[in-house]
Amino acid sequence: MKPRISMISLGVKNLEASIRFYKEGMGLPLLESPPGVAFFDLKGTWLGLTEREHLAKDAGISPEGSGFSGMTLAHNVSSEEEVISVLNEAIHAGAILVKPPQKADWGGFHGYFKDLDGYLWEVAHNPFAWIGPKD
């Protein structure tokens, strides 16, 4: 396997609301997408959205689920101020603040929000190394 993640797919309750959240609220660039799905360009990886039931059916599993999934998504930024700004942007778009921006145990600065479907996003500034593609 080559070292990359091509797409992160999220099963959502309301596709149109989630498209608005990520496109208008968070400013992610929406790609031309076929009906029933939405794709956003994340500079090397795509974020895919589709109805939760459809994604579960495609994988051959039950769409039921609750609690912590054991996974978070992370968005690294270049400063502590940008952590605060992105978290505020998410809250304004309808996200729920889970962990306010603060110093992290590992030496950086971060906070967490839940999107409209409860997916956890960490917004982080790592002063030791840049993680991800260059802006």
Side-chain angles (χ1 to χ4, degrees):
M1 187 166 125
K2 295 185 179 179
R4 79 171 153 264
I5 294 178
S6 303
M7 183 181 310
I8 298 165
S9 298
L10 301 179
V12 299
K13 291 177 277 197
N14 182 320
L15 182 60
E16 294 306 315
S18 291
I19 291 170
R20 277 192 309 278
F21 174 80
Y22 284 105
K23 180 182 178 201
E24 298 168 16
M26 299 307 296
L28 298 183
L30 179 64
L31 299 169
E32 189 172 326
S33 307
V37 297
F39 299 118
F40 295 88
D41 184 0
L42 303 181
K43 294 189 177 189
T45 301
W46 284 13
L47 174 65
L49 305 177
T50 190
E51 297 286 341
R52 184 177 179 94
E53 291 78 20
H54 295 175
L55 189 58
K57 182 179 178 184
D58 186 55
I61 60 173
S62 168
E64 300 302 316
S66 64
F68 180 58
S69 68
M71 184 191 99
T72 64
L73 302 163
H75 178 71
N76 281 59
V77 296
S78 59
S79 69
E80 293 183 8
E81 294 78 18
E82 197 173 355
V83 169
I84 294 166
S85 176
V86 171
L87 285 170
N88 285 336
E89 185 178 7
I91 303 319
H92 182 73
I96 296 170
L97 184 65
V98 173
K99 184 176 186 178
Q102 59 192 265
K103 295 286 183 187
D105 293 343
W106 46 267
F109 188 81
H110 70 161
Y112 283 85
F113 70 85
K114 282 185 183 180
D115 75 359
L116 303 181
D117 289 277
Y119 292 107
L120 279 173
W121 281 84
E122 177 190 29
V123 181
H125 168 60
N126 181 338
F128 311 110
W130 180 255
I131 299 172
K134 298 290 183 192
D135 288 335

